[in-house]
Amino acid sequence: MRNLLRLALLFSPTLALLVGGGWYVAAHLGDELPPDAVRPGGRLVVVVVFDQMRGDYLRRWPGLFDEDGFEQVKREGVWYSNARLPYACTSTGPGHASIGTGAPPSVHGVVENKWYDRRTGQEVYCASDAAARRVPEVKMPSKEPASLSPARLLVPGVAAHLKAVEKDARVFSLSLKDRAAVLMAGQCQDAGVYCFDSAVGKFHTSSHYRADLPDWVAAFNKSRDSSPADVWFHRRWDRLLHSEKYVGRDDCEAEGRGVNGMGQTFPHPLKGKLENPAKGFYDAVETSPFGNELLWDFARACLAAEQLGRRGTKDLLYLSFSSNDLVGHAWGPDSHEAQDITARSDRLLAEMIRHLGETVGRANYTLVLTADHGVCPLPELTPGAERFEPAAELADLGKALDETFGPLGDKPGAAGLWVKKVNYPDVYLNDSLLAAEGKSRADVERYAAEWIGNRPHMPAAFPRSVLAGPPLADPLARRVQLGWHPDGSGDVVTVHKPYLLTGKNTGGYSVAGHGTPHDYDTHVPLLAFGAGVPKLGERPEPTSSLVVAAIVCRALGIDPPTEAKEPLPAGWGK
Ligand SMILES: [Zn+2]
C-alpha cells in the first residue's frame, strides 16, 4: 500500500501536499533523493548535548551500542567523526554558550564557568545575575547563585534570532545544570529555561524569564512526595549490560567514590545513610544515569504540554544531559561507570527517537547531537602523565618580574603585587598598579608569558598583546585566541602539557577534568538526523563544532545569526 501511494505521489506533487501530513510524504520520498536535494527541515529541532561525551566514545566501545540509538543516527543521518571545539577553554559554560550562538568565546564572552571581573575585583559566575531572582523562591543555604540570566553573554544566539523572525516559535532549554540551560537559550527572554536544584530536588527558573512556574513544571515537581527524583531512592545503579561488555577493570585504584557514599565499584547505592530523600541523594541521582532519565522525563512533559513541533510553527528544544559529565568526573573517562552511562545514553537516544517519531512524526523533527567538551584520561592510567599544582609552578612569577622590571612599590617582599589573580589557566596582572608605577603593561605581559611558558609543566603561555592581535597561524595558539576575550580573560593564558591534570586526586566526586586545548578535551561527537538532514553517513573531515548553529538554522529554515560564522559543511546543498 505504501509503495502504491509513493508511486502515485511521485507523479503528483500536489497530491503529496494534500495527503494528511504532507511533510511525512515529502521526507519519505526525500529518503531516496541524493543528499544535495534534501528539503528544509521540519517543525521541531531538538539539540541534544551529552555533557563531557568525548568524540571517540562512539567508536572505541562498539560493544555498548544498539542498532537504534547512535548507530541509527550514523546510518540514516550524518556523523562528523572528527568534530573539534575550535577554542581552548573547554568547560561547560563556554561549551553551551558556543552551541547556542555558533560563536566562539572570543565573540560571545563566556570564557569560563567562572572568571575574574577586573572592574569589581570579584569572581563572577557565567550564568548569574544579581538583578534576577529564583522562581520559585526558596529559603535555603546554597552556594549556587540564586538568580540566573544570560547577562554575561555578549551576543543574542540562535534562539533569540528564531524568535525575532518567527514570533510564534517556542523555545525551551532544559538541563540539570543551570549554566547549560541558560546559555543554550542565549538572550532569548521568551525561552522556557529550567534547571534542577539538588538542594530541593526540583526544577526551577529565573525571574529573568518569567514570574511563576507554568502548570506543567509545577505538576512535574509535585509528581512524587518531595521530588520527581524520589522514584530512584531505593534503587542502586548497576551495569546495564553484562560485565564482559565493559573494557578494563571496575575496581581501579585511581577512580573516585562519587557522592553520598556511592562508592568506587558497582553497584552504587544512591541514598547513602539517608532515611528520606534529601540533598545528598539528589546529588547522587545527578551523578548517575538516573539524572539523565529525570531530565528526559521532564523533557517529555515539556513536549506534551507545550505541543512542541505540533502547532504548525517552528519550535526549538535544547536538552543538555549533565550526568555524563558528573559521572566522568567521579570515576574517570575509562571507567565502567563512564561506559555504562554512555550505553544508557545510547538507549536514551533510541527512546527519544521512538518518542519523537510517535508524537511529532519522523518527518517533522530534526535531532542534532553534540557535547560541550571532552575529558582528560586519569593521569594515573596514562604512562608519563601526572598531576601538578599550577600555584606552585607560578609562585615565583612576581620575583622574576621584580628582577626584570624593578620592584613594585616601596615595600620589600611586594613581589606578590604583580599578579592580581590567578584563575588557572588565566593570569590577571595588577594593571592599575602597573600604570601607577609607570611599567609597560605590554612588556610585562610578554615577559610573564615567556617566563610561564618555561615552567616544567607549561610549554606555552600567550600574552594579551598576541591574543588581541590578528588571527594566529599556529593551531594551538589559535585555539587559545578563540577562547580569549579582553573583558573576562587573563592578561596571560597558560597551556600545560597534554595528559596532565591539576590538583590532587582525593578520591572524591571529581578525579578527572577538562578545560585545555588538547585533543581529548576538544574532540566532541557531532551528529544530525531527521527532517532535512542529508544521509551522508560518516564524514571524517575535520569539522568545527560551531557548525551546530548552522545545522540548527538550516533545519529551522532560517538564516543563521550574524555571530554564527561557521558555514554548513559540504553536502547540505545550497
Ligand atoms: Zn565537567
Side-chain angles (χ1 to χ4, degrees), residues 308-554:
L308 299 185
R310 296 151 81 175
R311 302 174 308 114
T313 182
K314 295 164 180 173
D315 296 327
L316 176 56
L317 174 62
Y318 286 106
L319 295 178
S320 176
F321 292 95
S322 309
S323 296
N324 302 65
D325 181 64
L326 299 168
V327 166
H329 276 291
W331 292 280
D334 298 293
S335 62
H336 282 202
E337 287 79 1
Q339 293 173 57
D340 192 68
I341 197 168
T342 303
R344 288 172 186 265
S345 299
D346 181 56
R347 307 307 185 271
L348 190 61
L349 176 57
E351 158 64 14
M352 284 185 236
I353 291 171
R354 215 161 24 238
H355 182 81
L356 290 168
E358 281 166 13
T359 55
V360 180
R362 165 87 187 252
N364 297 324
Y365 79 90
T366 308
L367 203 59
V368 185
L369 294 127
T370 191
D372 52 348
H373 54 74
V375 61
C376 180
L378 296 184
E380 292 84 354
L381 305 181
T382 308
E386 60 181 321
R387 295 175 193 262
F388 78 106
E389 297 290 348
E393 210 124 315
L394 298 174
D396 289 336
L397 173 59
K399 214 154 64 182
L401 291 170
D402 262 3
E403 281 161 18
T404 308
F405 297 96
L408 270 185
D410 46 12
K411 288 190 207 104
L417 294 178
W418 286 95
V419 176
K420 191 90 187 171
K421 175 85 178 173
V422 177
N423 184 36
Y424 188 79
D426 287 66
V427 178
Y428 301 79
L429 296 171
N430 194 341
D431 37 358
S432 51
L433 192 57
L434 295 188
E437 298 261 325
K439 312 275 186 205
S440 156
R441 180 169 164 173
D443 288 351
V444 174
E445 284 165 4
R446 256 197 308 276
Y447 182 80
E450 200 185 306
W451 186 88
I452 293 171
N454 281 310
R455 296 309 92 204
H457 296 105
M458 300 173 184
F462 300 89
R464 164 186 293 269
S465 53
V466 168
L467 297 173
L472 296 164
D474 173 68
L476 179 92
R478 181 65 180 151
R479 289 200 287 280
V480 175
Q481 188 174 39
L482 287 173
W484 187 87
H485 191 279
D487 293 347
S489 300
D491 300 297
V492 180
V493 180
T494 303
V495 177
H496 60 240
K497 288 179 184 167
Y499 296 101
L500 308 188
L501 282 178
T502 59
K504 287 193 171 55
N505 182 344
T506 57
Y509 66 88
S510 185
V511 301
H514 48 85
T516 76
H518 300 310
D519 198 61
Y520 47 76
D521 281 343
T522 60
H523 190 191
V524 289
L526 177 49
L527 308 96
F529 166 83
V533 177
K535 198 170 162 177
L536 298 172
E538 180 180 356
R539 299 297 310 208
E541 62 267 24
T543 303
S544 165
S545 64
L546 300 178
V547 302
V548 163
I551 292 174
V552 169
C553 289
R554 162 56 68 93

